[in-house]
Amino acid sequence: GVGDAFKIMCYEYSLQQAINDCVLCPITCIQIETHLDLTGVDPDDEDALEKIIDTPDRNRIVAEKYREHLDGKPAIVFGVSIAHARNMAAALVGQGVNAEAVWGVDKERKRKIDGFKAGAIQVLCNKDLLTEGFNYPAVEGVLLNRPTESRGLFAQMIGRATRRFPGKECGKV
């Protein structure tokens, strides 16, 4: 890996420093209690995670909290699986939110992303698609609806809401 080629980090520019320097917008973190217990679950076991995380009650709670904290604002949901992204989009639609699920080989991916950027879709629910290389500065919210132990992945996900955009005071995670 990269660690074999590079032994010394010569420079690090942290997310916090970029926020302090006003390169990125500040973020507000909101913790939502959904009574989730992942004790003993392998974080790489997608099937086990999906059974625990992707439940109608939990998805409804997350959708309600989107309405409470971000109602109408562009947001991205990170799910544990494609099925979870679809179910989360359905839960949001059930709350009156225009939401779509999108994933890597989705044949309608371009239409959905273009619709999101045009404001026709309020929330995109995804599984491992919008973490890197997706840049839409108007995103105001990121719903981390999946666990991760990876600091890099966590920074990539919350980073979707840190881009500066006119009228945007902060990103909500």
Side-chain angles (χ1 to χ4, degrees):
V2 175
D4 292 336
F6 301 99
K7 300 291 183 202
I8 299 171
M9 183 181 308
C10 61
Y11 184 75
E12 180 179 6
Y13 191 59
S14 70
L15 182 64
Q16 185 60 58
Q17 188 60 50
I19 291 169
N20 292 347
D21 292 345
C22 296
V23 173
L24 298 175
C25 73
I27 53 175
T28 298
C29 295
I30 302 165
Q31 183 175 352
I32 299 168
E33 182 57 56
T34 61
H35 309 288
L36 185 65
D37 182 5
L38 295 175
T39 304
V41 178
D42 179 351
D44 295 322
D45 186 344
E46 186 177 297
D47 292 333
L49 289 172
E50 184 178 53
K51 286 176 187 168
I52 296 169
I53 294 172
D54 184 18
T55 68
D57 285 342
R58 188 170 186 284
N59 292 343
R60 178 189 47 75
I61 290 168
V62 173
E64 288 172 353
K65 293 303 180 178
Y66 165 81
R67 294 292 309 261
E68 181 181 334
H69 296 285
L70 288 159
D71 198 21
K73 305 286 187 188
I76 297 172
V77 176
F78 288 97
V80 74
S81 66
I82 292 171
H84 184 214
R86 286 178 167 157
N87 293 336
M88 194 61 239
L92 285 156
V93 169
Q95 293 289 321
V97 177
N98 192 346
E100 295 265 6
V102 64
W103 56 94
V105 295
D106 181 357
K107 291 182 170 123
E108 295 187 63
R109 181 172 94 181
K110 182 176 180 349
R111 177 195 62 79
K112 292 173 183 178
I113 291 173
D114 289 348
F116 179 67
K117 289 182 176 181
I121 298 170
Q122 297 168 312
V123 181
L124 279 181
C125 304
N126 81 108
K127 195 287 190 203
D128 293 340
L129 177 66
L130 305 176
T131 50
E132 293 181 22
F134 180 76
N135 186 27
Y136 180 52
V139 170
E140 289 198 38
V142 169
L143 288 76
L144 299 175
N145 206 7
R146 55 146 302 163
T148 183
E149 293 181 335
S150 167
R151 199 170 167 194
L153 178 58
F154 178 75
Q156 286 291 336
M157 290 188 293
I158 67 170
R160 303 308 99 205
T162 61
R163 305 300 191 269
R164 291 212 165 268
F165 190 76
K168 179 172 146 184
E169 294 178 23
C170 73
K172 292 185 179 178
V173 177

